[in-house]
Amino acid sequence: MQITLSVENLTKKFGDFTAVRDVSFQVEDGKFFSILGPSGCGKTTLLRNIAGFYEPSAGSIKIRGEEMTGVEPNKRPVNLVFQHLALFPMMNVHENIAFGLRRRGLAGKEVDQKVNNMLERVGLPGFGKKKIDQISGGQKQRIAIARCLVLDPSVLLLDEPLGALDAKLREHMKVELKKLQVEVGTTFVYITHDQSEAMVMSDHVAVMNSGQFEQLDTPQNLYHSPKSSFVAQFVGNNNKLAVKVHKKEGGEFYARYIDGRDYLLEGAYDLDQGDEYDMFLRPEAVVINPPAEDKKFNVMNCTVKAVLFDGGNSRLLLIPETTSEELIVALPQTKQYDYLKHGDVIKIGWNPATAVCFRKVDVKIYDDV
Amino acid sequence: MMMSKLRTIRWSFFVFFIPVFLWLFLLIVLPQLELLRMSFLGTDYYGESGVTFDNYWAFFSEPIYWLTFVRTALFSILVTLIVLLIALPVAFYITKVASFKITGFLMVIILVPFWVSELIRVYGWMILLRESGVLNHFLTSVGILKVPVEMLYNDITMIMGLVYTTMLFMIVPLIGVMESLDDALIEAAHDLGAKKLTIWRTIIIPYSMPGIMSGSIIVFMLVLGSYLTPNLMGGKNSLWFTEQIYNQMIIYFNWNQGAAFGFMLLLLSSVIIWLALKLTKQDWRSVIK
């Protein structure tokens, strides 16, 4: 596969503050690549470096093998879909899409033809004459993307373009965007703080935190085998259990939770720097009333604190025995668990392979949590 | 219940409306109507007064009148354009380039001169520019000029003075409209391949058009109707149309002729503004907003 975008050791400093620290990655031709991170992690800065609005403090950006340092944004073969789309309000849809073509010196029939083709491609044929304030949020979205795609860029950069849409439309646009990307085959680099957007659409996702990539992987790997505590917390939902890890004679590692029980872990741990760990347990990986006597299965006794009904997204709020902590467990809507109510004592269990454990670190995912 | 509520609304409406109405009607509409009436009055050869179009006819038959008129209009348009050309980058710098701290300081610098009356400001320029003025003194003492030159009383000085006195009225509406211009629009244009000049032509100016038009209308009206600056800085050569009105009314005591000239000026400014709005395809309502 040909490499379209290659970023090497990119660093961007604003005064004393380092927004992006030594980031390297490559994106193959035609892939959908996402950069996922909380606000303020430097992902927008990284994107603006690629688009050319910032000059990197160190490192290099190559597009199709060509060095981009010092090249103005208007000369780069990349286009950016802005967070608030930045459609030109004084022009109609046709003029918006034609803007970039005209800047390339195209005129007349050629422009009209390309614009109309593009409008058809994004599913808005005949919208050319409409004014920007006459079309809906989702349509604006598609026009903003069409305006860039019509220039046939090597890389299309998208800066959280779905952020301004309401939840239902966002769900819809996620799928639309992925379909569009597959159809046009352009390389997309998408930044977002919404892990679901990143997972649904991307071939590869880089999880970014305080200016660095924590992990660059496929969505599946990010979900199933996060490489750091931050990724485990940021990608998908996770219960975080403070545990002490110790090794038993058999060579197996166990995590002791504050309920006084030991839970089997998978893999090996280096206990030289202390045994304080965080164990992460996905709500959907936990089984309620696990089949008895599977030795490998970890079993925990809990009290039901509340049933949080939310359709297919329903959960149980549990309190592990003898503790005051809370656990969230997925509640399958198969009628099987309808009898559960506040105060019930139940057993839950999980396969050790589904839990991950990382050395305790203080990471803030959101400012308010 | 409904009726009483409606009545209180009406009552309060009249309380607030009457002063405005009286002010508008007694001080603006009524005098204008009287002037309009006067502009159609005249005395014939036998001293009999009556309704006549002579006052308006005099305007077209005497070249000095309508030439002054055309000259005033053209210079007003020129001044408006110069003010616009200077104000656009200034407003852009204040709203988009300068840091937040400097913005307030720059605004004060622009506003401060306008706390002083126009008369004082124009006299200030006269002290600087006249034959025995500061600039001449400096240039002769440095040796650039051998003898002092009279820098006042020519068209260029007059235009400069008019540009100076009206600049603020262009900058303020431009800042207003440019502040609402999203930086991302400029960046998007840059990203889509536009050069700096193209961004100005295709994004900034079209976006600022309501501000440009309202600023231009204010500046144009002020310049067209200004009396002090052309008179003091342009001197007797200035041939500004307001001077003709002044001369007719104050020097020749011909109020009928002066009133007719006044209405010609009103007509001229209305027509030019209407044309400008039509040419730039601007909506009157978005401009006065």
Side-chain angles (χ1 to χ4, degrees):
Chain A
M1 247 325 182
Q2 204 191 340
I3 302 296
T4 305
L5 173 67
S6 154
V7 172
E8 281 155 34
N9 306 100
L10 186 87
T11 298
K12 176 65 188 173
K13 288 183 181 166
F14 296 104
D16 288 338
F17 176 69
T18 308
V20 177
R21 195 190 306 265
D22 202 22
V23 166
S24 302
F25 65 96
Q26 295 185 325
V27 184
E28 287 174 359
D29 198 29
K31 292 285 183 202
F32 198 120
F33 183 85
S34 288
I35 300 167
L36 173 66
S39 51
C41 73
K43 56 190 192 300
T44 301
T45 309
L46 176 57
L47 200 72
R48 291 175 69 87
N49 270 295
I50 301 170
F53 292 116
Y54 293 147
E55 275 302 310
S57 310
S60 80
I61 296 165
K62 289 197 180 82
I63 295 166
R64 293 200 191 282
E66 239 174 277
E67 180 59 49
M68 281 296 129
T69 313
V71 179
E72 289 273 296
N74 54 347
K75 306 261 163 59
R76 294 193 183 198
V78 295
N79 287 112
L80 174 59
V81 177
F82 285 79
Q83 188 165 11
H84 300 290
L85 307 180
L87 293 171
F88 306 130
M90 53 280 182
M91 303 176 193
N92 63 23
V93 169
H94 182 282
E95 285 165 338
N96 261 287
I97 298 177
F99 187 88
L101 294 173
R102 292 199 201 284
R103 300 289 83 77
R104 291 189 176 170
L106 300 185
K109 281 252 160 61
E110 209 179 348
V111 170
D112 291 344
Q113 200 189 342
K114 286 197 172 198
V115 170
N116 290 336
N117 279 347
M118 203 63 229
L119 277 172
E120 231 157 81
R121 192 159 232 187
V122 296
L124 297 169
F127 268 64
K129 287 276 186 297
K130 296 222 178 194
K131 287 200 171 147
I132 294 304
D133 52 14
Q134 286 174 331
I135 60 178
S136 72
Q139 289 165 346
K140 278 184 196 165
Q141 196 79 54
R142 283 185 261 175
I143 299 299
I145 292 165
R147 185 173 73 173
C148 293
L149 283 181
V150 79
L151 297 175
D152 204 14
S154 297
V155 182
L156 181 69
L157 308 170
L158 301 105
D159 183 1
E160 302 200 36
L162 303 186
L165 302 179
D166 61 73
K168 265 259 154 54
L169 189 55
R170 195 157 57 218
E171 285 302 316
H172 178 67
M173 285 305 294
K174 263 187 234 173
V175 183
E176 289 275 302
L177 207 53
K178 179 66 194 170
K179 277 200 292 198
L180 186 70
Q181 192 267 337
V182 171
E183 206 181 295
V184 295
T186 306
T187 310
F188 277 36
V189 173
Y190 187 96
I191 69 171
T192 181
H193 63 267
D194 184 317
Q195 46 108 1
S196 150
E197 280 175 24
M199 308 257 269
V200 169
M201 294 189 282
S202 319
D203 298 307
H204 283 95
V205 179
V207 179
M208 198 171 179
N209 182 30
S210 50
Q212 283 168 307
F213 280 0
E214 292 263 340
Q215 188 173 353
L216 197 170
D217 226 322
T218 60
Q220 289 82 356
N221 283 346
L222 282 179
Y223 180 82
H224 290 301
S225 41
K227 292 271 184 317
S228 74
S229 180
F230 178 84
V231 177
Q233 288 177 73
F234 199 74
V235 177
N237 297 316
N238 245 329
N239 290 297
K240 181 168 152 186
L241 288 76
V243 296
K244 284 191 190 324
V245 173
H246 58 97
K247 192 174 178 181
K248 285 195 175 162
E249 292 94 54
E252 286 155 327
F253 286 86
Y254 282 86
R256 173 160 296 169
Y257 186 49
I258 48 170
D259 65 354
R261 300 173 69 144
D262 286 343
Y263 299 105
L264 181 62
L265 293 171
E266 244 192 17
Y269 293 83
D270 177 15
L271 300 175
D272 291 347
Q273 288 161 32
D275 57 356
E276 302 244 347
Y277 275 75
D278 283 325
M279 183 166 72
F280 294 95
L281 201 53
R282 296 221 179 261
E284 52 274 26
V286 177
V287 181
I288 302 169
N289 293 335
E293 303 321 314
D294 183 341
K295 254 213 146 187
K296 284 270 180 185
F297 231 66
N298 288 316
V299 178
M300 184 187 265
N301 293 324
C302 294
T303 314
V304 176
K305 190 178 185 191
V307 179
L308 309 170
F309 180 76
D310 183 16
N313 214 1
S314 298
R315 289 155 301 162
L316 275 181
L317 188 60
L318 302 175
I319 299 176
E321 204 177 50
T322 73
T323 72
S324 57
E325 303 217 327
E326 289 176 351
L327 273 185
I328 301 269
V329 166
L331 183 62
Q333 289 301 299
T334 52
K335 293 272 172 198
Q336 199 183 342
Y337 304 111
D338 281 5
Y339 63 90
L340 286 173
K341 59 179 193 302
H342 172 77
D344 286 355
V345 177
I346 58 165
K347 276 190 191 327
I348 56 167
W350 67 90
N351 184 334
T354 60
V356 288
C357 213
F358 295 103
R359 195 177 298 282
K360 193 180 176 81
V361 279
D362 283 322
V363 280
K364 265 193 186 164
I365 297 220
Y366 298 109
D367 290 338
D368 52 344
V369 175
Chain B
M1 187 67 188
M2 266 311 276
M3 279 303 283
S4 73
K5 202 171 182 186
L6 218 63
R7 239 171 240 150
T8 32
I9 289 169
R10 278 208 192 127
W11 182 81
S12 57
F13 174 73
F14 276 114
V15 165
F16 290 108
F17 178 73
I18 280 172
V20 179
F21 174 78
L22 285 177
W23 184 69
L24 270 174
F25 186 76
L26 292 179
L27 297 175
I28 294 173
V29 177
L30 219 56
Q32 290 290 321
L33 287 175
E34 172 61 11
L35 277 174
L36 186 65
R37 193 182 66 87
M38 281 169 73
S39 73
F40 287 107
L41 288 182
T43 45
D44 58 14
Y45 289 113
Y46 311 104
E48 301 258 342
S49 62
V51 176
T52 168
F53 288 99
D54 281 358
N55 298 321
Y56 289 94
W57 178 241
F59 172 82
F60 294 102
S61 53
E62 282 290 342
I64 183 71
Y65 293 151
W66 65 262
L67 278 176
T68 312
F69 191 76
V70 170
R71 184 184 138 89
T72 307
L74 290 180
F75 268 166
S76 298
I77 292 169
L78 180 68
V79 168
T80 310
L81 287 179
I82 294 173
V83 170
L84 180 62
L85 281 181
I86 299 172
L88 273 173
V90 171
F92 185 77
Y93 183 83
I94 289 177
T95 49
K96 295 291 167 204
V97 184
S99 72
F100 185 70
K101 272 182 246 163
I102 307 175
T103 307
F105 176 68
L106 290 174
M107 278 308 287
V108 170
I109 286 184
I110 290 173
L111 279 169
V112 161
F114 288 81
W115 295 349
V116 181
S117 97
E118 187 187 353
L119 188 65
I120 309 288
R121 274 180 289 142
V122 172
Y123 274 128
W125 275 109
M126 292 176 76
I127 290 168
L128 284 175
L129 294 178
R130 70 176 176 212
E131 207 174 350
S132 55
V134 176
L135 193 59
N136 267 311
H137 182 76
F138 173 75
L139 289 176
T140 44
S141 66
V142 171
I144 294 171
L145 289 177
K146 290 218 169 56
V147 269
V149 178
E150 181 58 272
M151 295 180 189
L152 283 173
Y153 313 129
N154 60 54
D155 289 349
I156 293 168
T157 314
M158 183 180 73
I159 287 173
M160 192 204 66
L162 286 168
V163 167
Y164 171 73
T165 51
T166 52
M167 184 63 77
L168 180 75
F169 301 97
M170 186 67 92
I171 289 180
V172 169
L174 280 184
I175 284 179
V177 73
M178 278 188 188
E179 257 172 358
S180 69
L181 171 65
D182 187 357
D183 293 1
L185 290 185
I186 297 168
E187 284 178 346
H190 199 32
D191 185 62
L192 291 168
K195 291 193 269 298
K196 286 214 169 64
L197 211 63
T198 323
I199 296 175
W200 271 96
R201 186 171 58 79
T202 55
I203 308 294
I204 301 174
I205 289 179
Y207 187 90
S208 310
M209 215 55 204
I212 290 175
M213 282 319 288
S214 61
S216 298
I217 288 172
I218 299 170
V219 168
F220 178 75
M221 300 271 244
L222 281 174
V223 171
L224 196 69
S226 74
Y227 176 75
L228 265 175
T229 312
N231 208 18
L232 291 176
M233 293 183 79
K236 287 279 164 281
N237 302 326
S238 70
L239 286 177
W240 211 251
F241 197 67
T242 47
E243 279 172 30
Q244 301 281 6
I245 301 176
Y246 177 86
N247 289 346
Q248 289 299 333
M249 288 187 161
I250 308 298
I251 296 178
Y252 307 130
F253 267 108
N254 190 348
W255 277 65
N256 300 336
Q257 187 65 66
F261 283 179
F263 275 95
M264 288 308 294
L265 196 64
L266 181 66
L267 196 69
L268 169 79
S269 56
S270 309
V271 167
I272 290 178
I273 288 168
W274 179 79
L275 269 179
L277 284 173
K278 276 278 162 254
L279 282 177
T280 54
K281 291 179 188 136
Q282 283 297 303
D283 186 14
W284 173 246
R285 261 169 292 174
S286 72
V287 169
I288 56 175
K289 200 155 56 179

